[in-house]
Amino acid sequence: MSLLRTENITMKFGGVVAVSNLNVRLEKNEIIGLIGPNGAGKTTAFNMISGVYKPTSGKVLFGDKDITGMKPSAITKLGVARTFQNIRLFKELSVLENVVIANHLRLQSNWISSVVRTPDYSRKEKSMYDKSMALLEKVGLADLKDEKSYSLPYGKQRRLEIARALATDPGILLLDEPAAGMNPQESDDLMHFIARIRDEFDLSILMIEHHMQVVMGICERIYVLDYGITIAEGNPYEIQNNPRVIEAYLGVDE
């Protein structure tokens, strides 16, 4: 059984079909890509998987559990975390605080214990900070823990957003254009970083990406969307040499 799969998920906005009958499967410890030209429906697909949108039809399955239309917070608690195309950090908070906030998803306490600050709550709070610092060490941001997140260079903001997602203890990580805005060296560094965290955190990763260097260098399988329709699926070599994919990206001379 696939760790995550979609069964003919479709999203309509009025008379516009943004995604049509999308079938994606993600296996344990895989890194797969979802690519396509601008407006192909990639982020809409992510939004259906992560609960931002409820599909017009079709199902999203996490193992054998139907998560179609569940709230994003409930899906995150099950173990599906995501990042966004436009980085969504708490800009005025420190690097450490951004990661600590994500740990609250797993915090077992009530508002009374947090106000009174019982010994049990204090222990759990310290554990959250320790875990957050350990994550920052692993992503190379520990020395910046007290910096405001908005002050970080773009590539490190991306790493921080991924660290915050990792703080929710996911089994699946959805990355929406993690290399957007990066130069070739930053993209190469990110590619190796993603491969490393997949192994260290025992993750399965589904990513949207426009940087073909990253997609072809890291993804084991790739799905290609065009105008909301899946036009190809295969390994990087098969996708690079698929005439329909070439036509979708480059067009054809009539």
Side-chain angles (χ1 to χ4, degrees):
M1 180 185 297
S2 299
L3 189 60
L4 177 75
R5 70 186 189 279
T6 67
E7 294 183 353
N8 296 313
I9 56 172
T10 296
M11 192 72 223
K12 297 180 181 179
F13 298 102
V16 177
V17 181
V19 175
S20 178
N21 296 313
L22 177 63
N23 292 289
V24 169
R25 60 182 172 83
L26 177 64
E27 308 295 343
K28 180 72 173 174
N29 297 127
E30 263 194 320
I31 300 178
I32 68 173
L34 184 62
I35 69 171
N38 288 329
K42 304 180 298 296
T43 296
T44 299
F46 258 34
N47 285 339
M48 286 189 283
I49 293 170
S50 62
V52 176
Y53 296 153
K54 181 178 180 179
T56 306
S57 61
K59 292 182 179 181
V60 181
L61 299 165
F62 180 58
D64 60 357
K65 185 176 181 64
D66 187 347
I67 63 171
T68 312
M70 288 177 61
K71 292 181 179 180
S73 57
I75 291 174
T76 303
K77 279 188 176 181
L78 286 175
V80 182
R82 73 169 290 183
T83 65
F84 294 85
Q85 181 179 349
N86 300 312
I87 297 174
R88 299 186 183 182
L89 297 173
F90 298 102
K91 295 183 182 297
E92 294 297 329
L93 297 184
S94 71
V95 168
L96 177 58
E97 288 167 336
N98 265 271
V99 180
V100 169
I101 283 175
N103 277 280
H104 280 82
L105 181 76
R106 307 291 179 191
L107 181 63
Q108 300 295 320
S109 66
N110 56 51
W111 69 271
I112 296 176
S113 62
S114 64
V115 172
V116 178
R117 303 194 66 79
T118 63
D120 180 62
Y121 181 84
S122 296
R123 282 192 297 272
K124 289 176 179 178
E125 187 177 48
K126 182 180 184 303
S127 177
M128 284 195 305
Y129 275 86
D130 290 344
K131 176 185 173 184
S132 298
M133 277 305 302
L135 272 173
L136 291 178
E137 289 279 0
K138 288 188 175 183
V139 302
L141 296 176
D143 59 330
L144 300 170
K145 66 181 179 68
D146 295 321
E147 300 293 325
K148 298 291 188 184
S149 65
Y150 72 80
S151 70
L152 297 184
Y154 190 79
K156 290 185 177 180
Q157 287 190 28
R158 283 286 180 195
R159 287 195 178 213
L160 176 56
E161 191 180 34
I162 292 172
R164 190 175 61 184
L166 292 173
T168 66
D169 295 328
I172 295 174
L173 188 58
L174 309 178
L175 302 176
D176 192 348
E177 295 196 35
M182 293 186 180
N183 61 41
Q185 182 57 55
E186 288 173 329
S187 296
D188 188 63
D189 290 344
L190 179 74
M191 183 171 65
H192 290 95
F193 172 70
I194 291 171
R196 178 170 64 80
I197 64 169
R198 185 267 304 269
D199 296 337
E200 286 189 15
F201 291 89
D202 195 27
L203 294 170
S204 302
I205 297 174
L206 171 59
M207 62 188 296
I208 296 171
E209 190 49 71
H210 280 295
H211 284 236
M212 290 300 103
Q213 168 195 355
V214 175
V215 174
M216 299 302 169
I218 198 173
C219 292
E220 285 120 2
R221 290 188 298 109
I222 300 167
Y223 294 87
V224 187
L225 291 181
D226 190 29
Y227 294 106
I229 298 171
T230 306
I231 62 170
E233 174 194 350
N235 62 43
Y237 177 82
E238 291 167 336
I239 295 301
Q240 283 177 306
N241 292 279
N242 185 301
R244 290 193 69 188
V245 176
I246 294 169
E247 178 181 343
Y249 272 97
L250 303 178
V252 293
D253 189 348
E254 297 292 342

